[in-house]
């Protein structure tokens, strides 16, 4: 790995580490505060607005990146997110919080695809390490944020969000200071390329989507994030009702530490021997087993066992999917691919965050405890079968010369 790429990776990982620290400081404390003063429903509405903002950013990311470069998009998005978070400490009322949450999501939805765009532009032999360390940095930040959040519990919201603002300023500087303007792809510097640059706002992601080929995996990613956020929302409800002896946050410490131990060695070992689709299927199988454990036995032992396997989704699916996209999508379409990935991720998170609580309440009202987890297990198992349909050779391949089905999404750029 060259010095420039190593410096960029350090900056990106430092940035995502700080971002997750900041998010896991304010997110649980603010939701708890809003749920106490207003209601859980309004807390859910405010948090859902962050995903609305991320979806909205999908339509702007490619146009912004084409004008100011990937580095500029990361800087602008992070700065916007930091400013909105600072103002959250001085706002009041659900309407004001919802508007600011929209801008938080919009900033995140602009910066995050830019970071991923740089990572997938690394050479094939360096990409697994880049993507895996990115995931690990995020996980370490999650644990650090949860720890600091506990220390800041009960402080005034102005103090809380001022601390988060300072952390996000660090994210802004760390992630954007060391990355090249356009990642590590050769820049398209011709006059013709400049004339054909995409509009600032584009809905091309909606046009010509076909549920086959490349696009099926973008839809698959939406379902994965539906399952992932469903676990994050559903497990505290599960703990409060069925495992009152454990703190609701206990499962996240189990999952976090498991990811730290297994992330790099497990992904590195499997991706060298199996194709990305098979590795994604293994991750989803782990989630299936976890959901079955949560549903079948609701004691602490079953929760602990499930938490050990549910993390296979984050460990294996996420970086494998990034590699799959990097292999399948032509280089000149990667900016659009990053925006599309974030769109489908945000769509899955929106649906999952809203439905997790509904499914939990429905399972209790029907007198079938664990039914919500069985539904999730069926969905995860189906997704694993879809992943196994991919027949790409182990270690990936070059982008094919023939038109890829994703071209339908990009045709109107």
């Amino acid at each position: 790995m060259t010095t420039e790429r190593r410096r960029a990776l350090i900056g990106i990982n430092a940035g995502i580490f700080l971002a997750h620290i900041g998010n896991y400081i304010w997110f649980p404390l603010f939701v708890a505060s809003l749920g106490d003063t207003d209601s859980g429903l309004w807390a859910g509405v405010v948090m859902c607005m962050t995903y609305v903002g991320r979806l909205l950013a999908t339509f702007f990311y490619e146009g912004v990146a084409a004008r100011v470069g990937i580095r500029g998009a990361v800087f602008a998005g992070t700065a916007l997110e930091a400013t909105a978070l600072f103002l959250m400490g001085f706002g009041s009322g659900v309407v004001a919080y919802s508007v600011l949450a929209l801008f938080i999501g919009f900033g995140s939805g602009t910066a995050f695809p830019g970071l991923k765009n740089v990572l997938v532009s690394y050479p094939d032999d360096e990409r697994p390490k880049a993507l895996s360390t990115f995931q690990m940095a995020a996980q370490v930040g999650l644990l650090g944020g949860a720890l600091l959040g506990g220390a800041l519990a009960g402080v005034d919201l102005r103090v809380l969000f001022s601390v988060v603002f300072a952390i996000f300023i660090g994210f802004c500087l760390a992630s954007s200071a060391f990355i090249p303007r356009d990642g590590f792809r050769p820049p398209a510097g011709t006059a013709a390329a400049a004339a054909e640059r995409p509009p600032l706002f584009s809905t091309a992601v909606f046009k010509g989507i076909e549920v086959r080929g490349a696009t099926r995996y973008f839809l698959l990613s939406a379902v994965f994030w539906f399952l992932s956020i469903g676990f994050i929302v559903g497990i505290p409800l599960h703990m409060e009702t069925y495992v009152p002896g454990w703190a609701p946050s206990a499962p996240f410490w189990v999952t976090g530490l498991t990811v730290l131990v297994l992330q790099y060695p497990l992904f590195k070992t499997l991706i060298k021997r199996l194709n990305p689709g098979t590795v994604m299927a293994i991750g989803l199988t782990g989630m299936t087993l976890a959901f079955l454990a949560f549903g079948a036995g609701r004691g602490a032992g079953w929760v602990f066992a499930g938490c050990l396997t549910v993390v296979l989704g984050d460990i294996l699916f996420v970086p494998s999917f990034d590699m799959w996209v990097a292999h399948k999508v032509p280089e000149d379409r990667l900016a659009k691919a990053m925006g599309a990935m974030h769109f489908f991720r945000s769509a899955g998170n929106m649906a999952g965050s809203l439905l997790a609580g509904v499914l939990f309440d429905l399972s209790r009202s029907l007198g079938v405890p664990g039914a919500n987890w069985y539904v999730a297990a069926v969905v995860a198992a189906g997704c694993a079968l879809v992943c196994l349909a991919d027949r790409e050779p182990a270690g990936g391949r070059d982008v094919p010369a023939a038109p890829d089905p994703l071209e339908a999404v990009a045709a109107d750029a």
Side-chain angles (χ1 to χ4, degrees):
M1 185 178 292
T2 66
T3 301
E4 185 182 18
R5 288 199 291 269
R6 187 177 294 108
R7 289 177 69 248
L9 183 59
I10 291 172
I12 290 172
N13 287 341
I16 203 65
F17 167 74
L18 291 171
H20 276 68
I21 286 180
N23 280 327
Y24 280 88
I25 288 175
W26 78 268
F27 176 83
L29 296 179
F30 182 70
V31 169
S33 174
L34 197 61
D36 182 55
T37 57
D38 292 271
S39 70
L41 170 64
W42 285 115
V45 169
V46 172
M47 299 318 301
C48 185
M49 289 302 293
T50 63
Y51 295 114
V52 174
R54 292 176 188 179
L55 277 175
L56 184 62
T58 301
F59 309 122
F60 287 91
Y61 170 71
E62 189 183 10
V64 171
R67 286 161 174 79
V68 301
I70 297 174
R71 180 175 60 204
V74 171
F75 183 90
T78 310
L80 175 62
E81 188 175 7
T83 302
L85 282 166
F86 178 74
L87 294 176
M88 285 285 272
F90 298 86
S92 62
V94 171
V95 174
Y97 291 142
S98 296
V99 172
L100 290 170
L102 179 71
F103 284 107
I104 291 171
F106 189 89
S108 174
T110 304
F112 189 81
L115 297 179
K116 282 293 187 75
N117 208 343
V118 176
L119 292 176
V120 298
S121 71
Y122 277 59
D124 283 348
D125 60 335
E126 298 176 2
R127 197 176 296 138
K129 178 180 180 180
L131 294 171
S132 188
T133 56
F134 181 82
Q135 290 298 118
M136 183 173 291
Q139 195 64 35
V140 174
L142 183 156
L143 291 173
L147 182 62
L148 289 175
L152 292 171
V155 304
D156 184 81
L157 288 181
R158 295 185 180 185
V159 175
L160 176 69
F161 281 103
S162 294
V163 171
V164 174
F165 170 74
I167 292 173
F168 267 81
I169 290 298
F171 169 29
C172 183
L173 297 176
S175 61
S176 60
F178 300 108
I179 63 177
R181 184 185 187 279
D182 297 297
F184 296 102
R185 301 289 185 185
T190 65
E196 294 175 1
R197 69 182 181 181
L200 184 59
F201 177 86
S202 173
T203 58
V205 68
F206 285 134
K207 299 177 181 178
I209 292 180
E210 301 177 16
V211 187
R212 62 181 178 84
T215 309
R216 67 177 175 173
Y217 280 95
F218 284 91
L219 295 172
L220 180 67
S221 73
V223 181
F224 168 80
W225 291 111
F226 170 89
L227 294 170
S228 181
I229 199 70
F231 164 72
I232 292 173
V233 173
I235 199 65
L237 298 173
H238 183 94
M239 297 295 290
E240 183 178 0
T241 302
Y242 301 114
V243 196
W246 278 25
S249 61
F252 298 111
W253 286 101
V254 178
T255 58
L257 291 173
T258 305
V259 169
L260 286 178
V261 173
L262 295 181
Q263 173 72 71
Y264 184 62
L266 182 60
F267 173 67
K268 181 180 179 180
T269 299
L270 292 180
I271 203 64
K272 284 184 175 180
R273 294 166 173 78
L274 304 171
N275 63 62
T278 302
V279 178
M280 288 189 284
I282 294 173
L284 286 162
T285 300
M287 296 182 79
T288 302
L289 295 175
F291 296 146
L292 290 174
F294 297 149
R298 287 164 293 283
W302 288 97
V303 170
F304 181 82
C307 287
L308 293 177
T309 63
V310 75
V311 296
L312 292 180
D314 284 331
I315 292 172
L316 300 178
F317 182 93
V318 177
S320 297
F321 180 75
D322 291 337
M323 289 190 67
W324 188 92
V325 170
H327 291 161
K328 294 277 188 177
V329 179
E331 292 182 1
D332 61 336
R333 303 298 188 187
L334 276 177
K336 182 172 291 296
M338 294 304 105
M341 285 170 63
H342 205 71
F343 168 81
F344 285 108
R345 173 175 180 162
S346 296
N349 280 331
M350 283 181 61
S353 61
L354 291 175
L355 289 179
V358 173
L359 289 174
F360 180 81
D361 290 343
L362 185 61
S363 69
R364 295 188 65 193
S365 65
L366 293 176
V368 187
N372 55 317
W373 298 117
Y374 294 139
V375 171
V378 171
V379 174
C383 290
L385 293 176
V386 172
C387 289
L388 290 175
D390 182 50
R391 292 290 181 249
E392 182 181 340
R397 59 172 173 76
D398 293 332
V399 177
D404 189 276
L406 188 63
E407 292 291 324
V409 181
D412 296 308

